[in-house]
């Protein structure tokens, strides 16, 4: 049910207007500029220095294997799946394992599990910390205030939520929005790895400390990590080497709503856009 509409959206990855000069659409560009203005708080944008792209050492293409969908959804063997197979594998993982999951204490206090959404064929995956109250109530990731800002960030990139996949380190809400405990992250880890194995994005953006520390297996804080390309460690077949851009969590941006913080996030997103070949609007 949750993933059903994804199947129809699975055939595209990005707004073609951003990639193809001939299909340039001034309305889309204006929307992107407005979202960027809004992201930056309608102040004059102060450009911040950006890190140049490193030489990217991309993972080997996965080994072809029979029974792709079943295998990928179990995380055993990996094959590049069709968009339809990706949608089916994600849906199966959600319905058969995540929804009924009781692997950690968070199952006792959750209202809904929050698997993640939208595009099973996304080139870009955002990983946050864990569901908050709005997400727990709706079963959807990033739908509260922080989610609104993330949605604007995505729009400023010239994309929409239906182009990307958004998920979290843990799929159930930690009570009172506390940081998930290491044992909760560990219990939920396998689901995240398998989501990433099914989607196989070109870039992962980690939002804030728990996602950055967890996925990059580091103790270095987000203030030092953000804006610098990292590579996903070998956390599962086909995943080692995927470029990761850590940036501030939108909730942190809301708490520290300065031109500087917003400018840093925008510069991180521009690095991602550059890597994905997306058009960066000039003011
Ligand atoms: N914060 C997160 O980290 N994830 C959500 O889904 C919502 C808020
Ligand atoms: Fe299962 Fe993850 Fe929810 Fe814990 S947080 S109960 S591991 S789905």
């Amino acid at each position: 049910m949750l993933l059903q509409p994804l199947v129809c959206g699975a055939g595209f990855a990005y707004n073609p207007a951003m990639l193809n000069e001939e299909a340039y659409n001034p309305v889309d560009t204006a929307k992107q500029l407005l979202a960027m203005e809004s992201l930056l708080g309608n102040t004059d944008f102060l450009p911040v220095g950006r890190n140049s792209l490193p030489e990217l050492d991309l993972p080997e293409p996965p080994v072809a294997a029979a029974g792709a969908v079943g295998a990928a959804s179990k995380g055993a063997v990996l094959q590049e799946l069709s968009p339809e197979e990706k949608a089916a594998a994600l849906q199966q993982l959600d319905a058969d394992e995540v929804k009924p999951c009781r692997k950690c204490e968070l199952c006792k206090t959750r209202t809904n599990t929050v698997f993640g959404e939208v595009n099973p064929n996304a080139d870009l995956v955002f990983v946050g910390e864990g569901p908050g109250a709005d997400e727990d109530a709706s079963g959807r990731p990033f739908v509260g205030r922080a989610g609104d800002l993330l949605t604007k960030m995505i729009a400023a990139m010239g994309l929409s939520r239906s182009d990307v996949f958004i998920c979290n380190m843990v799929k159930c809400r930690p009570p009172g929005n506390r940081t998930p405990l290491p044992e909760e992250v560990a219990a939920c880890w396998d689901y995240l790895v398998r989501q990433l194995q099914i989607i196989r994005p070109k870039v992962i953006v980690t939002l804030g400390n728990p996602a950055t520390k967890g996925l990059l297996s580091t103790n270095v804080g987000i203030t030092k990590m953000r804006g610098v390309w990292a590579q996903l460690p070998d956390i599962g077949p086909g995943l080692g080497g995927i470029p990761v851009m850590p940036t501030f969590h939108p909730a942190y941006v809301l708490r520290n709503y300065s031109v500087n913080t917003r400018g840093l996030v925008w510069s991180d997103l521009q690095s991602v856009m550059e890597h994905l070949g997306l058009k960066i609007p000039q003011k």
Side-chain angles (χ1 to χ4, degrees):
M1 163 73 177
L2 171 69
L3 291 169
Q4 207 51 47
L6 308 187
V7 182
C8 23
F12 65 94
Y14 292 116
N15 180 347
M18 297 300 145
L19 297 175
N20 180 348
E21 289 292 341
E22 280 172 37
Y24 170 77
N25 179 343
V27 177
D28 283 342
T29 304
K31 278 190 199 154
Q32 189 181 356
L33 278 167
L34 281 173
M36 191 177 92
E37 286 269 352
S38 158
L39 172 64
L40 295 166
N42 294 320
T43 56
D44 285 338
F45 176 50
L46 304 174
V48 242
R50 273 193 295 140
N51 299 289
S52 57
L53 289 172
E55 287 294 313
L56 294 170
D57 179 17
L58 294 173
E60 288 293 310
V63 180
V69 173
S73 70
K74 289 194 188 70
V77 191
L78 207 61
Q79 178 180 346
E80 191 55 60
L81 304 173
S82 71
E84 292 72 23
E85 288 170 330
K86 289 181 180 194
L90 288 176
Q91 193 165 24
Q92 193 182 337
L93 177 61
D94 185 20
D96 294 356
E97 298 187 54
V98 174
K99 277 195 166 75
C101 181
R102 305 196 68 83
K103 284 202 289 185
C104 80
E105 294 283 302
L106 295 182
C107 71
K108 295 185 180 157
T109 44
R110 76 178 176 222
T111 311
N112 287 296
T113 53
V114 180
F115 182 74
E117 61 182 36
V118 172
N119 196 330
N121 203 35
D123 284 348
L124 175 57
V125 170
F126 290 90
V127 183
E129 179 174 335
D134 296 312
E135 292 77 18
D136 178 64
S138 67
R140 296 182 55 214
F142 281 96
V143 291
R145 271 189 78 223
D148 287 345
L149 181 55
L150 179 63
T151 305
K152 281 183 193 167
M153 287 160 54
I154 292 166
M157 299 176 80
L159 302 172
S160 75
R161 283 175 67 117
S162 58
D163 295 316
V164 302
F165 196 87
I166 305 171
C167 60
N168 285 298
M169 296 298 286
V170 293
K171 314 304 186 205
C172 303
R173 181 191 184 202
N177 296 349
R178 63 162 171 74
T179 306
L181 301 172
E183 56 266 34
E184 292 159 356
V185 172
C188 218
W189 176 248
D190 186 50
Y191 300 139
L192 179 62
V193 169
R194 284 154 68 196
Q195 287 178 308
L196 294 173
Q197 283 182 319
I198 292 164
I199 300 168
R200 277 181 55 81
K202 293 201 172 84
V203 174
I204 296 167
V205 172
T206 52
L207 300 167
N209 265 323
T212 304
K213 290 183 173 178
L215 273 174
L216 296 178
S217 191
T218 178
N219 276 324
V220 182
I222 186 66
T223 310
K224 286 225 171 78
M225 294 294 288
R226 63 137 290 279
V228 182
W229 283 105
Q231 291 186 356
L232 200 61
D234 187 11
I235 59 172
L239 294 180
I242 291 182
V244 177
M245 174 55 72
T247 196
F248 291 131
H249 193 288
Y252 170 87
V253 179
L254 289 172
R255 288 195 305 273
N256 300 272
Y257 207 67
S258 65
V259 174
N260 183 52
T261 309
R262 285 172 277 144
L264 291 173
V265 169
W266 178 230
S267 97
D268 302 343
L269 298 180
Q270 286 176 90
S271 287
V272 172
M273 292 165 72
E274 196 178 335
H275 179 68
L276 290 172
L278 298 170
K279 205 174 156 127
I280 300 174
Q282 303 299 327
K283 283 226 301 179

